[in-house]
Amino acid sequence: MLRRRDFLTSALASTALAASPLPLVAMKASAQPASVPRLPPAFLWGASTSAYQIEGAVTADGRGPSIWDTFSHTPGRINDGTTGDVACDHYNLYAGDVELMARAGLQAYRFSIAWPRVMPEGTGAVNAKGLDFYDRLVDALLAQGISPFACLYHWDLPQALQDRGGWHNRDIAGWFTDYAQATVARLGDRVKSWAMLNEPSVHAIFGHGFGNHAPGLTGWASYVKAQHHQNLAQGTALRALRAAHSDLMLGTVLSLQPVLPATDRPEDAAAAARFDAAWNTINLDPLFHGRYPAAFEADFAPLVQPGDLAAIRAPLDFLGVNYYGRAHVVNAPDSFLAQASFGPLPPGTHTTAMGWPIEPQGMVEVLARLRDHYGNPLVFITENGACFDDPAPVNGVVIDPQRVEFLRAHLAAAADAIGKGCALQGYFVWSLLDNFEWAEGERRRFGVVHVDFATQKRTPKASLGFLSDVIRGKPGTGIGGAGVASMP
Ligand code: GCO
């Protein structure tokens, strides 16, 4: 995770794609890797995005400002100086993006709802025009047979709520629940799968501890407050939605990574244990066991009121897992994060363009941990993917063999985990589109579809063709094969 480690150490649009089948050259790229074990027929295949990273249109139809608008417009905060003002302009170009997913055979789309579109002030009046956008998006998805998986919060808090303390204010559990209920009241007739939060520990660590993400707050006490109030909001909203709607699949999304000491020094082993608590079990233990990790119980105690832990432990219908790699950790007395920090990778480890380790087996380890210690919940991999320095589009395709290989290896890991009894039900690639990668800006490309940010032209990558073949179970190479060329 280089974004993380970095910090610690240092109007053509999709219409261009419309009719024509995609070129043969993509097929060659996607045919390279070895075959992958087949995944079960009921396995769900999707793509994942988030609102601020793709929508743009930040002042359209009454949307209020979010903490990411404020942060990205603060000089020096975003590495390449970009903002999410336009991003992929998905707000206006969503129909073509949905069409592209349909052509690839994707069955599900995980997106997030922008709280500041629904409630520009964070609380109070609902902005019907903001919800209209998600209405249109959902209808477009359903018309193509794509299941919408909505996430209620992917880090774009209304600035008005930050001004009232944001995730440091305990009242946010109620604010979030009101927003969740208003949103589900409008869309819940068609959207049946709802995640409460995206990666609360990452939002707490980078937005409220290191301060290199919005809202830019720092320190351990800040992290603890943001963490507890996110956990509480998650549980409170989930219980309220469950009470009001019996037909919804309700869950939440965590970033999970196996944590290993980077050396064999005993102090690094101890640091790895603390880091694991601060990144993984800080959410897992309250969610599934109704307690905070023992190492931090005293830090959380002043915030935890009677009933909080029971509220947080609301039974989930599914857990979304975002998996990118393992964390290799060293003791770091100066780090706010439990005096631990990312350390060197094992020699020979391959990395993505972010510098993140490519470790597909870590996905099996995460899922096995859920199986063995958290009751084997129903899981979707809600994010997995990689940033590479892709070449420019040529003849209507981007050849990205490293991403194809990355996906192939992680799908093999998914099949392995299922074979070992993990309740994994689906896989959403991060991301559908190249997008605004938070503090990295637009220079870091994770998409299976290339976006030219100047023209908004979309160009499929070979990796999309590869996924398309996997989904369609093409014979021949196992799952490489006809690639993008066969997309209808
Ligand atoms: C996260 C978020 C995504 C990122 C992706 C790549 O994990 O940070 O959920 O919004 O863009 O993970 O960093």
Side-chain angles (χ1 to χ4, degrees):
M1 319 233 133
L2 192 62
R3 176 191 69 220
R4 294 138 195 186
R5 185 176 327 107
D6 250 355
F7 184 80
L8 289 157
T9 60
S10 60
L12 284 174
S14 46
T15 49
L17 288 164
S20 56
L22 300 161
L24 208 60
V25 66
M27 166 177 125
K28 298 214 170 95
S30 67
Q32 294 305 320
S35 67
V36 168
R38 284 188 189 283
L39 287 145
F43 199 72
L44 189 71
W45 295 98
S48 198
T49 63
S50 90
Y52 187 73
Q53 295 183 272
I54 64 165
E55 285 179 2
V58 291
T59 56
D61 298 325
R63 177 187 180 277
S66 79
I67 56 174
W68 268 98
D69 297 290
T70 308
F71 193 79
S72 66
H73 280 268
T74 306
R77 288 303 207 174
I78 308 300
N79 284 342
D80 64 359
T82 54
T83 70
D85 286 5
V86 179
C88 307
D89 199 18
H90 178 75
Y91 192 79
N92 294 305
L93 302 176
Y94 71 92
D97 294 337
V98 171
E99 169 75 25
L100 196 49
M101 281 191 268
R103 288 176 59 202
L106 289 164
Q107 301 156 343
Y109 177 48
R110 170 182 178 248
F111 59 99
S112 77
I113 310 270
W115 188 345
R117 287 198 195 283
V118 177
M119 290 182 170
E121 294 295 317
T123 56
V126 171
N127 174 34
K129 282 187 164 179
L131 277 169
D132 287 349
F133 166 65
Y134 299 105
D135 226 54
R136 295 191 292 275
L137 172 64
V138 165
D139 287 347
L141 290 166
L142 293 175
Q144 296 281 8
I146 299 173
S147 300
F149 273 58
C151 179
L152 284 162
Y153 183 72
H154 200 126
W155 304 354
D156 47 356
L157 189 74
Q159 180 62 44
L161 294 184
Q162 189 61 44
D163 297 343
R164 296 163 71 183
W167 291 106
H168 285 176
N169 186 335
R170 184 180 168 87
D171 291 346
I172 200 165
W175 303 336
F176 179 69
T177 300
D178 291 347
Y179 151 67
Q181 283 178 308
T183 304
V184 174
R186 176 73 181 273
L187 301 170
D189 58 333
R190 287 151 294 148
V191 180
K192 298 300 174 190
S193 171
W194 292 88
M196 302 301 108
L197 303 180
N198 177 72
E199 300 190 356
S201 70
V202 176
H203 194 36
I205 290 169
F206 294 97
H208 300 78
F210 285 118
N212 63 329
H213 278 194
L217 303 176
T218 56
W220 179 252
S222 167
Y223 155 89
V224 168
K225 272 191 232 163
Q227 192 63 261
H228 182 60
H229 295 143
Q230 286 185 92
N231 282 335
L232 186 61
Q234 173 277 130
T236 309
L238 192 139
R239 282 176 186 277
L241 293 176
R242 175 134 19 246
H245 308 267
S246 55
D247 62 335
L248 302 181
M249 194 166 77
L250 303 175
T252 200
V253 172
L254 303 181
S255 165
L256 298 178
Q257 47 183 334
V259 182
L260 303 172
T263 75
D264 53 13
R265 299 185 309 169
E267 59 268 40
D268 291 341
R274 295 193 303 272
F275 187 100
D276 179 51
W279 189 290
N280 296 313
T281 55
I282 203 73
N283 298 127
L284 284 171
D285 283 5
L287 266 176
F288 290 99
H289 298 321
R291 59 168 187 258
Y292 277 109
F296 304 145
E297 253 173 352
D299 299 325
F300 280 82
L303 297 173
V304 179
Q305 296 189 8
D308 283 9
L309 292 171
I312 294 169
R313 200 183 182 180
L316 303 175
D317 299 317
F318 71 96
L319 180 68
V321 172
N322 295 353
Y323 175 76
Y324 289 93
R326 300 187 184 107
H328 302 270
V329 163
V330 290
N331 187 47
D334 293 338
S335 168
F336 102 87
L337 186 64
Q339 292 78 53
S341 148
F342 292 97
L345 300 178
T349 305
H350 294 290
T351 59
T352 69
M354 300 287 278
W356 299 355
I358 301 174
E359 300 177 310
Q361 203 54 30
M363 181 190 280
V364 183
E365 293 158 15
V366 160
L367 295 171
R369 184 182 200 179
L370 294 172
R371 179 196 62 199
D372 297 342
H373 299 282
Y374 295 97
N376 205 14
L378 192 159
V379 170
F380 296 98
I381 295 293
T382 36
E383 288 182 25
N384 175 246
C387 167
F388 289 109
D389 295 327
D390 300 322
V394 175
N395 295 331
V397 71
V398 169
I399 302 299
D400 60 342
Q402 293 168 296
R403 189 173 290 100
V404 171
E405 177 54 23
F406 181 99
L407 298 180
R408 185 203 64 76
H410 285 78
L411 293 176
D416 187 14
I418 293 170
K420 291 176 169 152
C422 301
L424 177 63
Q425 303 278 325
Y427 175 95
F428 292 70
V429 68
W430 183 271
S431 180
L432 177 66
L433 304 168
D434 291 340
N435 60 45
F436 177 79
E437 174 59 22
W438 307 118
E440 298 286 344
E442 290 172 351
R443 69 184 181 144
R444 297 300 194 189
R445 295 175 176 273
F446 279 82
V448 292
V449 174
H450 176 273
V451 176
D452 180 330
F453 292 106
T455 64
Q456 291 298 338
K457 178 173 172 145
R458 273 63 162 153
T459 304
K461 301 183 189 178
S463 50
L464 179 65
F466 169 78
L467 273 180
S468 179
D469 273 5
V470 178
I471 297 165
R472 294 191 162 115
K474 290 281 168 61
T477 61
I479 54 170
V484 203
S486 65
M487 281 169 57

